[in-house]
């Protein structure tokens, strides 16, 4: 496997976590801080990230799409990802940009591989085709207990009258499986996946994120 160093001079950082972990807020805060230091930053998100990806996202997250099957769900996640990798992420890394991506293959691993029970092997097989060896330099895993996270996510969905709730509406056991799979990932890949406590206040979490990011930036200078 290669990583983004082989793809260019940039750095590829992904944010992961269960529903309502606050990872998207942390991604934005980090982006702002990096721009303040005059670093080139691309913020992107999955599923989505590109125009095509946003169209695929609507199918994936529409609460009405109860009939979507696990394998189709997996392939659509990776279709959006393949588009994002080719259209946005690789060109940005090649130009020396720091790419901050809200969810990536690890999400497919824990939600489809574990949550839906498709298995890790299937996920990595599709990843090989869609991402062609692109692996994050660093993954920030914002951990949160399932009840707190879901309560936050439901509040947000009500506030924004969000219809993209198909995944949030899975049963509690599904979300517990997802969180456990994330925690196992951090244990299995401690050098890449750094677990951060998302139960703290926003400012403290941001400081914890910064401590993990700083060494990576020094390496890229
Ligand atoms: P989103 O509204 O972006 O929520 P969040 O703030 O939690 O990221 O919804 C993305 C949903 O899609 C989320 O429930 C996780 C799920 N997902 C997968 O199941 N597999 C994947 O590969 C990705 C990228 C996301």
């Amino acid at each position: 496997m290669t990583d983004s160093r082989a793809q260019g001079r940039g750095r590829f950082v992904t944010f992961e976590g269960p529903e309502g972990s606050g990872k998207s807020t942390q991604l934005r805060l980090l982006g702002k801080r990096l721009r303040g230091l005059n670093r080139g930053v691309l913020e992107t998100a999955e599923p989505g990230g590109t125009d095509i990806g946003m169209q695929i996202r609507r199918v994936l997250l529409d609460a009405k799409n109860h009939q979507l099957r696990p394998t189709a769900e997996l392939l659509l996640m990776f279709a959006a990802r393949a588009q994002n990798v080719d259209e946005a992420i690789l060109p940005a890394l090649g130009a020396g940009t720091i790419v901050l991506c809200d969810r990536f293959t690890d999400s497919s691993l824990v939600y489809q591989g574990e949550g839906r029970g498709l298995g890790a092997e299937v996920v990595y097989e599709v990843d090989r085709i869609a991402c062609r060896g692109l692996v994050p330099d660093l993954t920030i895993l914002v951990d949160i207990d399932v009840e707190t996270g879901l309560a936050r996510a439901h509040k947000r969905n009500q506030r924004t009258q969000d219809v993209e709730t198909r995944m949030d509406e899975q049963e509690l056991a599904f979300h517990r499986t997802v969180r456990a799979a994330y925690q196992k990932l951090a244990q299995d890949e401690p050098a890449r996946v750094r677990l951060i406590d998302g139960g703290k206040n926003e400012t403290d979490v941001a400081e914890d994120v910064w401590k993990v990011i700083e060494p990576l930036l020094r390496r890229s200078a």
Side-chain angles (χ1 to χ4, degrees), residues 102-216:
D102 194 341
R103 299 193 180 280
F104 198 65
T105 294
D106 295 321
S107 280
S108 302
L109 193 68
V110 303
Y111 282 83
Q112 281 70 50
E114 292 299 323
R116 301 292 191 214
L118 291 176
E121 279 314 305
V122 170
V123 176
Y124 285 130
E125 209 171 316
V126 187
D127 177 76
R128 232 178 358 258
I129 299 165
C131 304
R132 303 187 309 280
L134 177 65
V135 177
D137 295 296
L138 185 69
T139 296
I140 309 277
L141 168 53
V142 185
D143 184 46
I144 190 82
D145 76 82
V146 172
E147 283 81 4
T148 309
L150 282 177
R152 284 184 189 171
H154 287 148
K155 222 160 142 190
R156 178 195 60 199
N157 293 344
Q158 279 175 352
R159 202 177 49 241
T160 59
Q161 298 193 324
D162 198 354
V163 291
E164 293 184 332
T165 56
R166 197 179 59 86
M167 300 302 291
D168 304 5
E169 288 172 11
Q170 299 302 311
E171 60 195 25
L172 208 58
F174 178 87
H175 293 290
R176 287 197 208 289
T177 302
V178 163
R179 185 189 186 203
Y182 268 134
Q183 288 176 333
K184 181 169 186 305
L185 190 67
Q187 272 170 14
D188 290 348
E189 293 191 56
R192 175 177 71 87
V193 182
R194 309 295 293 273
L195 189 142
I196 280 174
D197 178 5
K200 298 184 188 175
N201 71 57
E202 212 172 275
T203 315
D204 288 349
V205 178
E207 270 319 298
D208 289 347
V209 170
W210 188 248
K211 276 184 209 137
V212 170
I213 288 285
E214 249 191 328
L216 181 79

Side-chain angles (χ1 to χ4, degrees), residues 29-63:
L29 289 172
L30 177 62
K32 206 168 154 194
R33 189 160 182 176
L34 289 169
R35 277 190 208 93
L37 296 170
N38 284 324
R39 308 290 296 235
V41 177
L42 171 74
E43 290 178 27
T44 183
E46 297 196 355
T50 62
D51 285 347
I52 300 286
M54 287 307 285
Q55 294 175 55
I56 298 170
R57 177 186 171 90
R58 275 194 281 281
V59 176
L60 277 164
L61 301 187
D62 189 332

